[in-house]
Amino acid sequence: MTDRRADLIIQGRIATLAGDRGFGWVEAIAIGSGRILAAGRATEIAVLAGQRTRTWHLSPGEVVLPAITDAHLHLLTAAQEATEVALGDAPDRAAILARIHERAQRMNAQGDDGWLVGHGWSLDRMGSWPTADDLDRVAPGRPVSLVSHDHHSRWVSRAALRAAGIDAATSDPEGGLIRRGDRGEPSGLLHEHATKLVFAVIPRMSDARLEAALAEYAARLAAFGVVAAQDPGELGDDAQLRWGPTFYRRLATAGRLPLRVASSIRPEQLEAAVARGFRSGERVAAASADDPAASQVAARYRGGWLKLFADGALGSRSAALLAPYEVEDDWRRPVGGPAGMLLEPAQVLGELAGRASAAGIAVQIHGIGDAAVRTALDILATLPSVSGDVRHRVEHAQLIDPTDIGRFGASGIVASVQPCHLAGDAPMARAAWGARTAWTFPLRSLSDRGAILAFGTDAPVESADPWPGIALAVSRAASPWVDSDGPFHPDQAIDLAQAIRGACLGPASSAGEMDRGRLVAGCRADLIVVDAAALDEPVRSSGALTVARPSATLFDGEIVHRAEGFGR
C-alpha cells in the first residue's frame, strides 16, 4: 500500500478486472496523478485520504468499470466522415438517392461546386449495384464519391471517374475491380483496391479542420466511455506518411491529442515508416519535457501495426472463402470469383509482414472469410515477436474454419473482432455462407482455446457506440431478426465479464500496454461510471447493456464527460 495521499477516492461497487477472469470486484479505489494508487476494501483505501482528497460515494445503482479502448476504429476517417452525407440509416434506394439529391441542392445553393462525399450505402438496401447514372440524375455534373457501409466499395459519378482518369481503357488494379457495362465502360462502382483510384483525387481536409474534427469526435467517444482507439489507418495514397502516425505524433508532442491512440501504417507507407524509424509501441516526448501535464498528453500516442488486407468483406461479397458462396441471385454474386477474393497473393503479404517485423513493427491482417483468416494465421505464425509486447493480430476474423480456432491461442495471435457486425451481418451470413455460419464470430471457442479477444466497432463502418457490440457478444441477438430467427448460434456466446474484458483489457494487452484496461495499483485512472442495470439485468437486444451510457468518464483521473445530473 502506498503512503501517498489520494486526489480522489471512489467507494462503491468497482470492477477492477484484476486476475484472469471475472470482474475483480472491490469496494474502493484511490487515484493520484492520473493513476490508481490502490484498490481494495473501503477501510484500507480510506487511510489514503488527505485534506484535499475528494471522495465519491457511489449509489447502489452505480458501478465503476475501466474505460473502453476501441481495438479497431478508423479514427481520422470517422472524424472526417462525421462531416459528410450519411446514408447508413437510409432504408432503400429511393431514400439514399433522395438524401444525395438534398445534399447536392444544398451545395448548389451555397455556390459550392466541389466534391460531394458520403458513406453508408449497402448493396442489400440498394437492391442491385448502383451506377454513375444514378448519381448523375440526382447530382448532375458534380464529382460524387460514396463509400459503402463496409468501406470495400466506392460508388462514384461520371465527373469523379473523369477526375481520376478512369475510362474503358483503365485496367483493374491488383486486388481491385472496376465494375463495367456491356461495352467495357466503367459503371461507377469500384471494389477493393480500385477504390483508391478516386480517393487519391479527392481534396484532403486541412490539418486545422482535421484537428477540430478529431477533438469533436473524441468528445463523442468519451460520452460512450471510450478514451482510447487503435486506428488501423486509411485507404489512400499517403505514401510519405503525412497523416496517420505523423499527425497524431504532432498533436501528442504539442499537448493537444485528445485521447489515446495507437496508429497503424499501410503497405504503401512501410518504406517511409522504416526510414523514419517507426516502431510498434513507439512513444514521443512532450515539447516541454519539464511539464508533467504535457508529458501525460504526449504519452497518449503509441506506434501501432502494419495493416495488411487478405480479403474483402461479406457485404461486398468479396470475403475469401475456402469453399464457394451460397449463390443467392445474380446481382449478389461474389466479387472476384465463386469463393470471393484474396486481395494480395499470400507470398506478397508474407514478404511485407517479414519486412515490417524485421523493423520492429507488429502486423495486423484483415481477414474476414475463412480462407483469408487461414492465410493470415499462416503468415503471422512465422513472425518473431516485436519489442514492447505488441502482438500480431487478425482483424475481424468473422468466419474461422474450426481447425484454425486453436491456432490463435497457441501462437499468441490476437483475435481483433467486432461483435457489433453481427447485427447487420447475421442475415447476410446465413444467406451467403449457409451452414458455415456455425463458425461465424466463434467467440466462445476462441476464448476456450486461449485466444486474446480485443473488441472494436470498426467505426465509421458501424457506430462508435461500443455497448451494442458488448451486448451482442453475450446475447448473439439483435432486432429485428432475433424475433424470427432466434439468437445467432448462441453456443458461441461468452459471459458478460469476458465481454467487458474484451472491450477494456484485450485491446490494451494486444498493444503491450499493461498499465491500462484494469483498475489496479499502477494502472492509468481511465474509468467510467455506469448504471448497474447494465450489468445486473439479463442481456437482451434492447436491454440496459445495449443502451448503456456512462454518467461520467475519467481520463488520466480527470473528468472528460459528465452527464446531466451527475452531481459529483
Side-chain angles (χ1 to χ4, degrees), residues 327-372:
V327 177
E328 305 153 76
D329 44 51
D330 285 341
W331 59 270
R332 280 190 286 207
R333 288 184 179 276
V335 173
M341 64 189 298
L342 288 174
L343 301 188
E344 301 280 2
Q347 181 180 352
V348 173
L349 293 173
E351 290 172 355
L352 288 166
R355 286 170 54 197
S357 181
I361 304 171
V363 179
Q364 53 184 168
I365 302 180
H366 168 116
I368 287 183
D370 50 5

Side-chain angles (χ1 to χ4, degrees), residues 172-226:
D172 291 344
E174 184 73 29
L177 176 71
I178 301 171
R179 195 169 284 270
R180 303 174 190 271
D182 295 338
R183 295 175 295 184
E185 74 283 3
S187 70
L189 250 295
L190 309 174
H191 297 289
E192 303 303 341
H193 289 343
T195 63
K196 298 180 183 181
L197 300 176
V198 167
F199 182 88
V201 299
I202 300 174
R204 294 282 307 200
M205 183 180 284
S206 70
D207 284 3
R209 286 188 61 202
L210 184 56
E211 182 179 347
L214 177 62
E216 184 176 339
Y217 197 77
R220 292 173 55 188
L221 292 175
F224 290 137
V226 178

Side-chain angles (χ1 to χ4, degrees), residues 10-36:
I10 304 177
Q11 296 181 350
R13 190 177 169 198
I14 299 167
T16 65
L17 303 189
D20 294 331
R21 60 183 63 250
F23 285 100
W25 295 109
V26 298
E27 296 175 347
I29 55 174
I31 298 171
S33 298
R35 292 187 180 266
I36 305 298

Side-chain angles (χ1 to χ4, degrees), residues 386-400:
V386 301
S387 62
D389 295 323
V390 181
R391 295 175 179 266
H392 304 303
R393 311 192 331 184
V394 177
E395 302 299 316
H396 309 300
Q398 284 191 215
L399 179 63
I400 309 175

Side-chain angles (χ1 to χ4, degrees), residues 250-256 284-299:
R250 188 160 59 247
L251 293 185
T253 300
R256 302 199 304 271
V284 296
S288 302
D290 57 348
D291 182 347
S295 296
Q296 191 174 65
V297 174

Side-chain angles (χ1 to χ4, degrees), residues 69-85:
T69 295
D70 193 313
H72 194 107
L73 195 166
H74 301 270
L75 185 58
L76 292 184
T77 300
Q80 292 175 84
E81 287 194 3
T83 68
E84 299 174 358
V85 61

Side-chain angles (χ1 to χ4, degrees), residues 187-467:
S187 70
L189 250 295
L190 309 174
H191 297 289
E192 303 303 341
H193 289 343
T195 63
K196 298 180 183 181
L197 300 176
V198 167
F199 182 88
V201 299
I202 300 174
R204 294 282 307 200
M205 183 180 284
S206 70
D207 284 3
R209 286 188 61 202
L210 184 56
E211 182 179 347
L214 177 62
E216 184 176 339
Y217 197 77
R220 292 173 55 188
L221 292 175
F224 290 137
V226 178
V227 300
Q230 294 168 349
D231 185 346
E234 302 174 278
L235 283 174
D237 61 344
D238 183 23
Q240 297 307 309
L241 210 61
R242 177 185 171 190
W243 295 284
T246 303
F247 182 77
Y248 292 128
R249 282 173 60 101
R250 188 160 59 247
L251 293 185
T253 300
R256 302 199 304 271
L257 187 61
L259 75 170
R260 303 195 197 286
V261 180
S263 180
S264 293
I265 60 170
R266 294 296 177 93
E268 62 271 17
Q269 299 168 325
L270 180 58
E271 182 177 349
V274 172
R276 296 183 191 186
F278 175 86
R279 299 289 186 273
S280 292
E282 70 172 9
R283 298 178 182 272
V284 296
S288 302
D290 57 348
D291 182 347
S295 296
Q296 191 174 65
V297 174
R300 295 173 182 176
Y301 166 81
R302 285 175 64 96
W305 294 257
L306 169 66
K307 169 70 180 297
L308 300 175
F309 284 83
D311 69 345
L314 170 59
S316 292
R317 305 304 193 271
S318 54
L321 306 185
L322 294 170
Y325 280 73
E326 307 286 331
V327 177
E328 305 153 76
D329 44 51
D330 285 341
W331 59 270
R332 280 190 286 207
R333 288 184 179 276
V335 173
M341 64 189 298
L342 288 174
L343 301 188
E344 301 280 2
Q347 181 180 352
V348 173
L349 293 173
E351 290 172 355
L352 288 166
R355 286 170 54 197
S357 181
I361 304 171
V363 179
Q364 53 184 168
I365 302 180
H366 168 116
I368 287 183
D370 50 5
V373 172
R374 178 171 293 177
T375 298
L377 289 169
D378 288 345
I379 293 168
L380 298 178
T382 67
L383 301 179
S385 59
V386 301
S387 62
D389 295 323
V390 181
R391 295 175 179 266
H392 304 303
R393 311 192 331 184
V394 177
E395 302 299 316
H396 309 300
Q398 284 191 215
L399 179 63
I400 309 175
D401 187 88
T403 62
D404 290 325
I405 287 175
R407 299 176 65 189
F408 283 86
S411 299
I413 297 169
V414 174
S416 173
V417 295
Q418 300 80 47
C420 58
H421 283 316
L422 266 175
D425 284 4
M428 288 190 290
R430 286 188 174 108
W433 293 346
R436 288 168 288 189
T437 57
W439 302 103
T440 300
F441 290 106
L443 303 182
R444 170 61 63 84
S445 294
L446 285 166
S447 181
D448 287 349
R449 299 291 296 275
I452 294 176
L453 299 177
F455 286 179
T457 62
D458 204 9
V461 174
E462 303 284 357
S463 165
D465 180 358
W467 299 100

